């Protein structure tokens, strides 16, 4: 260990936290906080007083949360979670504490975070709905986060002091009124803008959970020097930002010359140690797995099931935003395929715990240049074969050997799901069409919208079906692809919806002629 790494490692040991044994099922009485509402705004004050009479005036929000929890214990103090082999049967006894550094089961398979569902079921669905809704838009630490507002379902045993959060989540569920009506004859189409987040992608939802747990482990003197990931861009941005916030070293493996400059600059700006490697994402993934097995670097890719615990909260948010009504369809872009399972897990937990009575049908959308799940689906789930992913504008899902293939198949089979694909021209056209109606989406959302076009045209999705398309990243990360499209500068692509600027002389007559021609081609449309 280097001197600098050792110093950083030692400086993080501010508190010692004793982990509960996984098998310990002892419980005390559940505490249900009472949520009070008052119509008398004149009695509001900036000084908060707990039931014990102590005041939080002058405290930061962590201190205030500490005082509140002492006087009003939360239900998560009696809840537990553990790692188990993914899709393990009822007779499986293999399990691990979340405080262990483990990524695979004894058989080499994936792990999953399993919550104590019996303890969660001690509270009715109405209780969870009211509790989660009461936290939206608040600054109470850590519940102002869309992820940590569901703390009891994410990491119930972590101390709020250890949480690393930028109040991520709570992203806009946008009614795509004009796009749905004009292009798809749909009246209930919505886009979940997960890219409206701290680092501009849905990866923040999972990374706040993973880095918070690493923060906890380091305070427990666990041998974790830093956190590392392979990335096509967004994962590295989220990892580096949250590690920088916590003062934890981050190491990033990026495929050389395969991500946008906007994606590359984020981990660099956040102080990550960035390695640009002459391979693709799958090659980077293989290397980071080998490295993290030899060095005390915590693996942050979606092989790590902690990430999915944060990502599943986007599904719960969608239900909240519809006042706990379940949409008919949810369309998710798929690369490494952890996110489609995360959405399934979020919806399924809500159904199992009585918040809703059903789950939506899921659609996973892949680029035709990186479509191993699609090919597997079209074969009738007969045999999965990894592929060599080709270059795609949807660079974050340019993955030919997805780690979470088993998770994705499970989610799709259990939600009567569908897999679709999008060619490069289809996804870029769909992105341009969406942008023309006021959105500014990423190419990966273009993949999801293409899947929607195809299912709508085949009559699988009806005109009145409530449908949510998940937008995974902000369009500002992919400006070069948009510039190339609108400049008609993409080889072998018609760019049917290109809108390049018009060159005009700097005189009144020339400008008037151009404007009259443009306005003459337009008729008022008040739809």
């Amino acid at each position: 260990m280097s001197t600098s790494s050792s110093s950083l490692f030692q400086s993080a040991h501010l508190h010692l936290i004793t982990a509960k044994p996984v098998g310990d099922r002892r419980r005390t009485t559940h505490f249900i906080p009472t949520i009070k509402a008052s119509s008398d705004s004149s009695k509001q004050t900036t000084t908060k007083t707990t039931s014990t009479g102590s005041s939080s005036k002058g405290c930061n929000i962590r201190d205030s949360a500490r005082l509140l929890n002492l006087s009003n214990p939360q239900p998560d103090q009696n809840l537990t979670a553990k790692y188990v082999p993914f899709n393990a049967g009822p007779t499986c006894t293999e399990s691990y504490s979340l405080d262990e550094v483990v990524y695979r089961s004894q058989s080499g398979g994936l792990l999953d975070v399993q919550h104590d569902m019996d303890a969660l079921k001690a509270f009715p669905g109405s209780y969870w709905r009211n509790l989660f809704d009461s936290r939206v838009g608040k600054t109470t630490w850590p519940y102002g986060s869309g992820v940590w507002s569901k703390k009891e379902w994410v990491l119930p045993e972590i101390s709020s002091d250890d949480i690393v959060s930028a109040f991520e989540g709570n992203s806009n569920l946008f009614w795509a009124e004009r796009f749905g009506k004009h292009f798809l004859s749909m009246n209930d189409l919505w886009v979940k803008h997960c890219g409206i987040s701290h680092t501009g992608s849905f990866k923040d939802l999972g990374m706040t959970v993973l880095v918070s747990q690493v923060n906890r482990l380091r305070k427990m003197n666990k041998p974790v020097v830093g956190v590392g990931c392979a990335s096509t861009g967004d994962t590295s941005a989220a990892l580096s930002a949250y590690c920088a916030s916590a003062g934890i070293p981050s190491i990033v493996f990026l495929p050389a010359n395969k991500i946008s400059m906007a994606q590359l600059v984020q981990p660099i700006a956040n102080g990550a140690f960035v390695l640009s490697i002459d391979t693709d994402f799958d090659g980077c993934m293989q290397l980071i797995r080998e490295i993290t097995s030899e060095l005390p670097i915590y693996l942050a890719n979606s092989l790590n099931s902690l990430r999915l615990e944060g990502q599943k909260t986007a599904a719960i948010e969608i239900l909240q935003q519809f006042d706990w009504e379940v949409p008919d369809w949810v369309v998710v872009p798929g690369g490494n395929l952890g996110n489609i399972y995360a959405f399934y897990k979020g919806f399924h937990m809500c159904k199992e715990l009585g918040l809703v009575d059903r789950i939506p049908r899921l659609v996973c959308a892949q680029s035709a240049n990186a479509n191993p799940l699609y090919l597997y689906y079209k074969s009738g789930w007969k045999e999965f074969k990894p592929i060599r992913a080709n270059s795609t504008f949807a660079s974050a899902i340019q993955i030919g050997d997805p780690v979470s293939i088993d998770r994705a198949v499970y989610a799709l089979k259990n939600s009567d799901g569908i897999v679709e694909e999008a060619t490069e021209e289809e996804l870029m056209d769909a992105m341009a069409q969406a942008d023309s109606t006021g959105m500014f989406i990423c190419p990966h959302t273009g993949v999801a919208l293409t899947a929607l076009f195809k299912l709508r045209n085949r009559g699988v999705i009806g005109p009145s079906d409530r449908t949510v398309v998940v937008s995974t990243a902000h369009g500002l990360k992919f400006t070069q692809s948009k510039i190339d499209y609108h400049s008609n500068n993409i080889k072998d692509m018609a760019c049917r919806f290109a809108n390049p600027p018009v060159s005009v002389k700097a005189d009144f007559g020339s400008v008037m002629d151009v404007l009259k021609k443009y306005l003459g081609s337009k008729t008022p449309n008040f739809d």
Side-chain angles (χ1 to χ4, degrees), residues 86 110-111 302-303 305 308 341 404-411:
F86 171 72
L110 297 168
L111 293 173
S302 58
L303 172 66
S305 51
L308 307 186
Y341 176 68
S404 292
I405 180 66
D406 293 338
R407 292 171 174 150
V409 173
Y410 181 88

Side-chain angles (χ1 to χ4, degrees), residues 329-351:
W329 298 89
V330 175
V331 187
V332 185
N336 224 9
L337 301 181
N339 210 27
I340 189 73
Y341 176 68
F343 271 85
Y344 169 79
K345 190 172 185 181
F347 288 128
H348 185 261
M349 280 191 75
C350 287
K351 179 177 182 292

Side-chain angles (χ1 to χ4, degrees), residues 39 62 73 162 218 235 252 256 326-327 346 480:
S39 60
R62 286 187 189 269
D162 297 336
R218 284 162 62 91
T235 300
V252 172
V326 182
Q480 189 58 54

Side-chain angles (χ1 to χ4, degrees), residues 291-323:
I291 293 297
T292 52
S293 68
E294 296 292 330
L295 295 175
I297 299 171
Y298 196 83
L299 180 63
N301 284 97
S302 58
L303 172 66
N304 190 317
S305 51
L306 284 176
R307 289 256 310 273
L308 307 186
E309 292 306 291
Q311 290 167 211
K312 77 184 181 189
T313 61
I316 305 170
E317 272 187 21
I318 288 172
L319 297 176
Q320 280 184 285
Q321 289 167 316
F322 285 135
D323 291 327

Side-chain angles (χ1 to χ4, degrees), residues 34-49:
T34 301
I35 303 166
K36 296 181 179 179
S38 173
S39 60
D40 188 354
S41 59
S42 65
K43 294 182 180 179
Q44 292 179 352
T45 175
T46 57
T47 301
K48 300 178 183 177
T49 304

Side-chain angles (χ1 to χ4, degrees), residues 160-210:
S160 292
D161 281 350
D162 297 336
I163 289 174
V164 183
S165 173
F167 278 13
E168 52 289 308
N170 294 321
S171 57
N172 180 25
L173 184 60
F174 170 79
W175 181 31
E177 179 185 15
R178 184 161 175 255
F179 181 86
K181 186 174 184 178
H182 186 69
F183 293 112
L184 290 159
S185 298
M186 296 181 71
N187 57 20
D188 207 359
L189 176 62
W190 301 77
V191 176
K192 178 65 170 168
H193 279 294
C194 293
I196 302 176
S197 191
H198 180 53
T199 71
S201 88
F202 78 97
K203 300 293 179 71
D204 293 344
L205 304 180
M207 208 57 74
T208 180
V209 177
L210 184 140

